[in-house]
Amino acid sequence: MKKIFLTVSILMMSFVQAQDFQGMAVYESKTSTADFMKGMSGNRDITPEMQKNMEERMKKMFEKTFVLNFNQTSSIYKEEEKLDMMGQDGGRRMMGMMGGGGTHYKNVKEKTTVVDKEFFSKEFLIKDSLPKLDWKLEGESKQIGQYTCFKATAVKPVSESDFRNFRFRGDKEKDAAEKKKDSTKTAKTNLMDQWEMPKEIVITAWYAPEIPINQGPENYWGLPGLILEVSDGKTTILCSKIVMNSKEKVDIVPATKGKVVTQKEYDEIVKKKMEEMREMYRGSNRGGGGRFH
């Protein structure tokens, strides 16, 4: 068995070292919407029927397929287009707001990344250095498809622009609000205040040493093998298909369209816009009819 494994590894290494080597991996991404729907249940303007409808649409929107094309040094990770996407443009805008979507380009040799995103109808090109995680290689292993994968974990600071990790504070604030006389108005006014962003999350990844590529989905990289599965807060990304050295080659180049910003600058833009929305929401519930610019 070990001899067979060694032979496969040597063959794979020879593929990777080839001048024109290129591979493709398909990933299925799912983000839990349970916490989001729990927060929405506190809004008395949303009927049970509306909530059920919203839950089904949100679930569909956060179950996506992505394709990672990679070579020895670079990769590009982007969503597979679907005709039945919720409102197409509306769904894409929502994903941009929630931190998903966009095209992720990584160059592990130069340690750079380029991500294009749309936020409130504005296009941004996020250029920055690759985030480096302090991976801890664990002893566990499991089979993903035909590959033996090994577990690695890391603690990652949460980007303030990635709303997929927003969480509902809990029922304490809601219960306190409901005890007040004007509970309806209070619950409405404080709805956005009941959400918070964790400072950091634990990442669990499973990588395949049989595919000796320092790559993975989104901005994940840095392990001694292609990352086939990663759990990132409420999101799980799992590889469902791998193709090595296909005759059809893909141009692995970064996007070029959009306002160039760093990740920190983009986070600040998103944070400022969300604060404006929060104030507008408060103003409209006080009867002020706040305006959003």
Side-chain angles (χ1 to χ4, degrees):
M1 191 70 180
K2 288 184 179 178
K3 188 176 180 181
I4 294 173
F5 179 82
L6 183 61
T7 303
V8 171
S9 296
I10 291 172
L11 284 171
M12 192 65 71
M13 184 68 78
S14 65
F15 268 136
V16 172
Q17 290 175 344
Q19 188 79 25
D20 61 345
F21 165 79
Q22 192 172 115
M24 183 271 287
V26 178
Y27 291 86
E28 308 298 330
S29 173
K30 293 185 179 182
T31 300
S32 171
T33 59
D35 211 40
F36 178 81
M37 297 314 301
K38 183 180 178 183
M40 288 295 99
S41 66
N43 189 337
R44 290 173 173 79
D45 288 339
I46 299 177
T47 65
E49 186 179 353
M50 288 168 64
Q51 183 165 337
K52 184 181 178 182
N53 217 359
M54 190 184 300
E55 190 171 355
E56 289 175 354
R57 300 182 91 188
M58 288 287 290
K59 183 181 177 182
K60 186 177 180 181
M61 187 173 68
F62 285 108
E63 290 183 355
K64 296 191 163 294
T65 301
F66 291 85
V67 176
L68 177 75
N69 286 285
F70 56 88
N71 56 32
Q72 299 98 322
T73 59
S74 306
S75 70
I76 191 150
Y77 179 79
K78 60 183 177 181
E79 183 185 348
E80 191 177 70
E81 295 291 343
K82 293 181 181 179
L83 293 175
D84 61 346
M85 186 174 182
M86 186 186 86
Q88 288 265 351
D89 291 337
R92 193 174 290 109
R93 280 196 297 270
M94 177 62 78
M95 279 302 291
M97 275 187 62
M98 297 299 285
T103 299
H104 293 251
Y105 169 85
K106 298 192 296 289
N107 187 312
V108 296
K109 185 178 180 180
E110 298 176 358
K111 305 292 188 297
T112 58
T113 179
V114 179
V115 182
D116 68 311
K117 286 195 176 186
E118 182 180 325
F119 184 68
F120 278 97
S121 300
K122 290 185 179 180
E123 293 185 37
F124 293 92
L125 199 63
I126 305 168
K127 290 188 175 184
D128 217 321
S129 56
L130 266 176
K132 183 169 174 55
L133 295 179
D134 186 14
W135 291 108
K136 179 183 177 184
L137 304 185
E138 310 283 358
E140 291 181 56
S141 67
K142 71 174 182 179
Q143 202 75 10
I144 298 180
Q146 68 186 74
Y147 300 99
T148 300
C149 296
F150 294 87
K151 183 179 180 180
T153 57
V155 176
K156 170 188 171 184
V158 175
S159 167
E160 292 185 69
S161 63
D162 192 345
F163 299 154
R164 291 174 296 179
N165 288 306
F166 253 152
R167 64 190 181 195
F168 193 54
R169 292 178 191 270
D171 295 329
K172 290 182 180 180
E173 290 87 348
K174 189 170 75 172
D175 291 341
E178 287 177 349
K179 287 179 182 179
K180 294 184 179 181
K181 290 181 181 180
D182 194 5
S183 60
T184 303
K185 183 177 179 181
T186 305
K188 285 182 180 179
T189 303
N190 292 335
L191 182 62
M192 288 188 73
D193 294 331
Q194 291 177 9
W195 294 89
E196 64 181 2
M197 183 75 81
K199 296 294 183 184
E200 57 186 26
I201 52 177
V202 175
I203 309 300
T204 300
W206 296 87
Y207 64 96
E210 294 169 66
I211 309 174
I213 288 293
N214 191 8
Q215 291 284 356
E218 288 197 6
N219 271 347
Y220 292 108
W221 70 291
L223 286 169
L226 180 65
I227 298 172
L228 298 190
E229 181 179 341
V230 60
S231 294
D232 170 355
K234 298 177 184 178
T235 301
T236 297
I237 305 171
L238 177 63
C239 182
S240 60
K241 179 182 178 181
I242 296 175
V243 177
M244 292 294 183
N245 266 354
S246 170
K247 291 182 180 179
E248 295 181 15
K249 301 298 180 182
V250 175
D251 288 332
I252 301 177
V253 293
T256 56
K257 192 176 179 182
K259 179 182 178 181
V260 177
V261 293
T262 63
Q263 183 64 56
K264 185 177 180 180
E265 289 170 338
Y266 180 75
D267 287 348
E268 286 299 319
I269 290 168
V270 173
K271 186 178 179 181
K272 182 180 178 181
K273 187 64 73 175
M274 296 314 293
E275 283 299 322
E276 288 180 20
M277 285 187 67
R278 190 190 299 267
E279 290 304 314
M280 180 188 72
Y281 186 86
R282 286 172 178 161
S284 63
N285 278 291
R286 287 195 298 265
R291 184 175 294 275
F292 180 50
H293 299 284

